[in-house]
Amino acid sequence: MSLDMKLPEFLAHAIALEHEAAERYLELADMMESYRNDEVASTFRDMVRYSRLHHDSIVERAKGIALPTIRSWQYRWRNPPEVGGEEAFDPKLDTYEALRYARENELRAKEFYAQVGAEAGDAEVRSLAEEFAAEEAEHVQALDDWLARTPRP
Amino acid sequence: MSLDMKLPEFLAHAIALEHEAAERYLELADMMESYRNDEVASTFRDMVRYSRLHHDSIVERAKGIALPTIRSWQYRWRNPPEVGGEEAFDPKLDTYEALRYARENELRAKEFYAQVGAEAGDAEVRSLAEEFAAEEAEHVQALDDWLARTPRP
């Protein structure tokens, strides 16, 4: 599919992506807290905050623009690969898996934004998308740093 | 993982599952309506209604019981396989794919309930889970009937 999006379509995606990210980081933060892993919990809480700030600023930008409906699979995080298949109902992710899960989804968001940045005909969409891709790249980097100092289970 | 769930844990899963199903059927119904496929849209709307009724009756049963938190990947529908990978942001599912997507998720719910029904030590949990598994099996059957009369793309 072409990712040559118009502004309303792009903003709708970005709002949904950031909302989803905030929800998932909140969940991961709570989970890390239940493991008494306060350091990683606090990183995830920072990411909740960034996602919400970003979300709110995009909502602000979208004021007065009629946004299209976005399908859930266009923005939802995947399930962690560790809990796929038979074990889909297993609630546990260890710290390493949680970080990797977050990383995978951030990378997916980054790639989405980067692709829109490369393919959009609208100059404002291109410029916003490139900016958002750079932000996501920073998140991926932050998660990589955490992964590098987290023991693999 | 063992699915020997206690009542609060089981109810929390069931509430989350039914809520998710209602959300996704609503989305599928809207999508079918946008394709002017009113017949399939109306089937999906029926399923929204069943899921909500079921959801509400479980919430009623859970009154006064403290429920645990359920992680999103324990109840969320998977992404449609057709839109995995590179095309994750493609909004389109044709009727056949939408029905298959719903079927896969209903089957997953059915298997979850059936497994709890087989493994739970608590007699009430076993009996509720078997009842819910039978309901999901009916939904799978209804979707199979639709799939049988829907042209494969």
Side-chain angles (χ1 to χ4, degrees):
Chain A
M1 122 189 244
S2 155
L3 289 179
D4 176 7
M5 293 188 171
K6 302 284 169 233
L7 188 63
E9 203 185 352
F10 176 68
L11 294 173
H13 274 86
I15 289 168
L17 279 176
E18 296 301 330
H19 178 76
E20 169 81 1
E23 294 283 304
R24 297 288 75 72
Y25 279 124
L26 193 58
E27 187 173 45
L28 292 172
D30 288 346
M31 199 169 61
M32 290 304 119
E33 222 159 71
S34 76
Y35 298 169
R36 317 260 159 175
N37 191 336
D38 290 342
E39 239 192 331
V40 176
S42 120
T43 297
F44 283 145
R45 291 216 188 279
D46 286 345
M47 291 180 112
V48 173
R49 205 161 47 243
Y50 297 145
S51 304
R52 283 185 180 155
L53 286 170
H54 195 199
H55 173 270
D56 293 350
S57 79
I58 307 168
V59 167
E60 188 61 34
R61 175 65 191 80
K63 243 185 194 161
I65 301 176
L67 300 182
T69 305
I70 301 297
R71 313 285 177 208
S72 61
W73 55 86
Q74 294 175 274
Y75 62 84
R76 277 197 162 185
W77 282 29
R78 309 274 171 88
N79 290 329
E82 289 72 16
V83 296
E86 304 299 290
E87 304 92 46
F89 293 98
D90 194 324
K92 292 180 290 295
L93 279 188
D94 64 34
T95 301
Y96 191 88
E97 289 164 339
L99 289 162
R100 222 169 44 139
Y101 166 57
R103 186 201 188 274
E104 215 151 287
N105 285 286
E106 287 290 345
L107 185 65
R108 190 166 151 251
K110 192 204 93 174
E111 284 168 357
F112 166 70
Y113 286 134
Q115 232 179 308
V116 176
E119 294 183 21
D122 183 300
E124 183 178 6
V125 171
R126 271 205 312 278
S127 134
L128 283 171
E130 280 162 18
E131 182 194 315
F132 295 178
E135 262 181 61
E136 301 299 336
E138 275 177 40
H139 296 172
V140 173
Q141 186 56 56
L143 291 163
D144 276 339
D145 293 347
W146 267 107
L147 279 163
R149 52 182 194 269
T150 301
R152 219 187 167 114
Chain B
M1 126 189 241
S2 156
L3 289 179
D4 177 7
M5 292 190 171
K6 302 286 169 231
L7 188 62
E9 204 185 350
F10 176 70
L11 294 173
H13 274 85
I15 289 168
L17 279 176
E18 297 300 330
H19 176 76
E20 169 81 1
E23 295 283 305
R24 296 289 74 72
Y25 279 124
L26 193 59
E27 186 172 45
L28 292 172
D30 289 345
M31 199 168 60
M32 291 301 119
E33 223 160 71
S34 76
Y35 297 168
R36 316 261 162 176
N37 191 336
D38 290 342
E39 240 192 330
V40 175
S42 121
T43 298
F44 283 145
R45 291 217 189 278
D46 286 344
M47 294 181 109
V48 173
R49 204 161 48 243
Y50 297 145
S51 304
R52 282 186 181 156
L53 285 170
H54 195 198
H55 174 271
D56 293 350
S57 80
I58 308 168
V59 167
E60 188 61 34
R61 175 65 192 81
K63 242 184 196 162
I65 300 176
L67 300 182
T69 304
I70 301 297
R71 311 288 177 207
S72 60
W73 55 85
Q74 295 175 271
Y75 62 84
R76 276 197 163 184
W77 281 28
R78 307 275 172 88
N79 290 329
E82 288 71 17
V83 294
E86 303 298 292
E87 303 93 46
F89 293 97
D90 194 325
K92 291 180 289 296
L93 279 188
D94 64 34
T95 301
Y96 190 88
E97 289 166 338
L99 289 163
R100 219 167 49 137
Y101 166 56
R103 187 204 188 270
E104 214 152 287
N105 284 287
E106 287 290 344
L107 185 66
R108 190 165 152 250
K110 194 204 92 173
E111 283 168 358
F112 167 69
Y113 286 135
Q115 230 179 310
V116 176
E119 293 183 22
D122 184 301
E124 182 177 8
V125 172
R126 271 203 312 278
S127 133
L128 283 171
E130 282 162 17
E131 183 194 314
F132 295 178
E135 262 181 60
E136 301 299 336
E138 276 176 40
H139 296 171
V140 172
Q141 187 55 58
L143 291 162
D144 277 338
D145 293 348
W146 267 108
L147 279 163
R149 52 181 194 270
T150 301
R152 219 188 167 114

